[in-house]
Structures are given as structure tokens and as C-alpha cells.
Amino acid sequence: MAQWLPAAAAVGVLAVVIVAGVALGGGDDGRGDAAPVQQAAGAAVPLTVPESVPDVIATVETTAPVTKSTLERTLSKGVAGGDVQQVQQRLTDLGFAPGPTDGIYGDETIKAVWAYEKLVLGVESNRPTGQVTPEMWDAMQEPFVIQPRRPNATPNHTEVYLPEQVLAVFQDDRPVLITHMSSGTNEEWCEEVTISPGEYGNRDGEEPIVRGECGRSNTPGGVFEYYRQVEGIRDSALGSMWNPVYFNYGIAIHGALNVPLQPASHGCIRIPLGISEGLQDLMGMGDQVFVWDGEKEPEENGSPPPTFNWLDPDYETTTTIPESTTTVPESTTTGPTTTVAATTPTNTVPNSTAPANTAAPTTQAPVVTSPPTAPPTTTPTTVATTTTSTTSTTLVGVGG
């Protein structure tokens, strides 16, 4: 009995640590930049790195002569014509997403050219021009294809290249989507967040939660799998997401209105909003996701969780409470209740106090920064209340 006690105690401690990490978000000093408990407990087990890693560019061997067209001008935003249409078609054939081949050089085409410059030409992630020069068009017509770095993965899989800020989805080793993206900034933040029911931090809730949280915006490299997806807009501790597909706790690939050249997210992978409309049709639960961080191969990192959020101890909020149509007990901390005589109601409401319309448009994805609420049936009365968080820095949800 004595000789087995140390081993039994160690197993018990490990089990408690793992359960605590899952429930609270990990960490051992109240800070999200500490190594999460799950990772420290050995959840991120290094995998076998393939001996030969293919380049993403593969030359197509052909004996037939290559027929090329010439470009008489540099293509940039706003131009239109048959030459633009040719470029759009070539980008589409390679797997990029320039939008419809309509001959109009718009934002979608520019972001597709960004991805091409970064992935194929090796341009630094924050320095692509978004333009197609005659020389660039000549090279674009060479016989080559984009191939996966992990051809022996699940038949359908995703590769995320953080140094290039490019994402590629492969089906049977053929690229079906290559897009510009924006990942985590690796900076700390403290914000008021809204967490929809079902998201981390509000798993079993029925209403959205609004509270102050802090975190670190990191996107870990490693090997993961898709395990959940939600259609439409979701609010989480990491921000608002459109059509998210989750692969590492609360980290997801999702559509966003703002997808700049530099990393800008709290850890998720942002892609252009229009591209995200068909995103979930290309992915299946269990498909592998390989994330390159520029330092190690994904298999060397294993499957590490992201940095976990913690509650903001200095959080304060001012809440606007609409007048209810039901009787509300008088608060003991407010002044006397003022009775308003039942007279003919007025419909005149100053514009400065009219509530903002937060209803989602039917033609495009909205950017939602607070949970939608049902419109009041009477003229709203604003009551400012200040709530100061008295919680400790207990870790909650998942940040990244």
C-alpha cells in the first residue's frame, strides 16, 4: 500500500489539474500569458514531422507550348476590361478567390492578388501591392499549381501559414480556396465582451453574457481538427464572428469585415466576409488543420490550446435599461418613483435618444458589438448604473 501511494497521489493531482484547466481555462498565476495547465500537463504531444515537406509551388511538366497573353498596363483598383477578366480567371484556376470573373478590379480581386503575392512571390505579409504588372502576369501564366505541404493529411484539410498570413483549403490535395487572412496580434487586451449562449464562458447559458475580460491575442501553431461550426453571427470572448468553424477551443476561422494586411484578431483566423459565405461547405468535422507559426513545424508544436482569458478586475460598465411594460419593484438605492399621469401619449422622441437599430440586414453580415435585444414597446427611459467587478483574476473562457 505504501509503495503505491505516491503514484496514486500523482494521478489524482493530474486529474484535478486537467479538470481545472478545462473548466477555468488553464493557467496557474491568474494571467493568460502563462502556459495553460493543459499544455503543461502534456496535452501538446509532439507528432512525427514528415521527412520530406513539399514546396507549395509545383511546376507542371508539359511538352505542349505555353500560350501567353500580354498585359499592356498595370492593373489596380477600379480598372476594368478583358485583361482584368483574364487575371481573375487565372487566379480562380489556381485556387485563389478573386470573386466573380466580371472584369472589374475590386476589393475581392485585390485581396486575392495579396494572397498570390505573399504565397507565390514571397512578398512580406504586410507589403503586397494588390496590383498586377505585365511582368507579374507573364509569370502567372507559367504552368504550375499550388500543392499542400501535408499531402498525406485527411482527404480534406486546411493549411494556415501565419508568416505569410494566407490560408489554403485542400480537397484531395487540390486547392479549393486560397485566401488572404489575418490572425492574432500576440498582444494583451482588456475589453468588454459579449458571449453568446453555447460559446466558451457561456456554454450552458440561455442569454448572452456581457462582462470585462482580458487576454492575449495568440494563434498557436500546431495540428488540430474542426469540431464545431455555427451559421450566422456569433459573439464570443474573442469578438464577433460570421460563419465560424472552430478548431482550437474558441479559435475559429470566420468571416470578418476588417481583414487588414497585418495580424489584427484576438487569435481567430479572419477571412474576407464574402469568402466566408461558402466556407462551411468546404470543411467537415474531423478535417485536419495545420498551422505554421514560422518557428516550428506544426507537428513539433503538437496541439497546444490558446492562451486563456481572465476576468478584468478593473471592469466597469454603464448599462442602458429600457423601461419595462411590467411592474418593477422600486430599488432601495434610487430616488423616489415619479408617477406620470396617463395622458395622450406623444410620439415625439429626440433623435439623440432614439435607440440604434441593431437588426441584421438581409443582404450582408452585420458587425455586432452587443447582443440584440427586442425593441421596447414604450419610449425608452435611460437609467445609468455603474457596476464594478469585484471578482479575482480567475481564468474564464478561452482567449487567443
Side-chain angles (χ1 to χ4, degrees):
M1 176 68 71
Q3 71 181 33
W4 290 105
L5 282 177
V11 171
V13 170
L14 178 61
V16 171
V17 167
I18 292 176
V19 170
V22 172
L24 300 179
D28 57 1
D29 63 352
R31 293 299 303 256
D33 52 356
V37 172
Q38 284 186 299
Q39 187 173 359
V45 179
L47 305 173
T48 302
V49 180
E51 294 182 1
S52 176
V53 178
D55 187 19
V56 293
I57 309 301
T59 301
V60 176
E61 299 295 337
T62 178
T63 57
V66 178
T67 303
K68 296 182 179 181
S69 64
T70 59
L71 200 60
E72 301 297 332
R73 57 178 176 169
T74 294
L75 304 182
S76 58
K77 184 174 183 178
V79 303
D83 48 2
V84 175
Q85 192 171 30
Q86 284 185 309
V87 169
Q88 290 172 329
Q89 186 60 58
R90 178 56 175 159
L91 288 169
T92 300
D93 293 342
L94 289 171
F96 295 88
T101 54
D102 55 5
I104 302 173
Y105 207 98
D107 288 336
E108 289 181 284
T109 301
I110 290 173
K111 288 183 171 61
V113 173
W114 283 355
Y116 178 89
E117 290 181 87
K118 294 186 292 183
L119 186 64
V120 178
L121 302 183
V123 176
E124 291 183 33
S125 63
N126 61 345
R127 299 182 66 87
T129 64
Q131 300 178 345
V132 177
T133 65
E135 296 77 16
M136 181 175 166
W137 171 237
D138 183 75
M140 191 182 293
Q141 297 176 84
E142 291 291 331
F144 71 93
V145 294
I146 309 297
Q147 64 182 0
R149 294 180 181 174
R150 293 296 183 269
N152 296 321
T154 51
N156 297 346
H157 76 280
T158 300
E159 298 186 357
V160 178
Y161 315 123
L162 296 182
E164 294 88 353
Q165 291 290 284
V166 172
L167 175 146
V169 180
F170 295 91
Q171 293 183 350
D172 295 324
D173 295 338
R174 181 179 62 86
V176 294
L177 173 63
I178 307 172
T179 177
H180 160 70
M181 49 157 273
S182 179
S183 61
T185 64
N186 204 35
E187 298 175 348
E188 286 193 8
W189 55 270
C190 289
E191 297 176 4
E192 180 179 85
V193 301
T194 300
I195 307 176
S196 298
E199 297 296 321
Y200 280 97
N202 192 14
R203 274 293 200 175
D204 301 320
E206 297 181 358
E207 299 293 335
I209 291 176
V210 179
R211 65 188 177 203
E213 290 192 11
C214 300
R216 178 177 288 279
S217 306
N218 74 318
T219 307
V223 183
F224 310 94
E225 291 182 357
Y226 292 122
Y227 72 93
R228 179 174 175 250
Q229 65 183 31
V230 182
E231 293 185 4
I233 195 164
R234 299 293 291 175
D235 287 318
S236 76
L238 303 185
S240 295
M241 306 176 288
W242 185 254
N243 289 343
V245 186
Y246 302 81
F247 64 90
N248 186 6
Y249 289 81
I251 289 184
I253 298 170
H254 65 83
L257 285 173
N258 181 27
V259 190
L261 283 173
Q262 69 277 3
S265 80
H266 281 169
C268 286
I269 305 296
R270 296 182 187 178
I271 64 173
L273 197 66
I275 296 176
S276 70
E277 290 296 329
L279 178 67
Q280 296 182 356
D281 295 334
L282 303 177
M283 301 169 173
M285 299 304 97
D287 289 354
Q288 287 183 305
V289 182
F290 296 83
V291 181
W292 276 263
D293 61 8
E295 298 179 2
K296 297 180 179 179
E297 293 295 323
E299 294 83 357
E300 294 180 86
N301 285 317
S303 305
T307 304
F308 294 91
N309 288 4
W310 60 95
L311 292 175
D312 182 359
D314 301 320
Y315 170 65
E316 295 183 358
T317 180
T318 300
T319 307
T320 299
I321 306 175
E323 179 182 348
S324 173
T325 57
T326 59
T327 302
V328 180
E330 179 181 345
S331 170
T332 58
T333 60
T334 59
T337 304
T338 301
T339 303
V340 180
T343 59
T344 303
T346 177
N347 292 325
T348 303
V349 180
N351 290 335
S352 60
T353 60
N357 181 12
T358 59
T362 58
T363 58
Q364 65 179 23
V367 176
V368 179
T369 57
S370 61
T373 57
T377 56
T378 60
T379 303
T381 301
T382 302
V383 181
T385 60
T386 302
T387 303
T388 303
S389 173
T390 58
T391 57
S392 64
T393 55
T394 302
L395 298 178
V396 292
V398 176

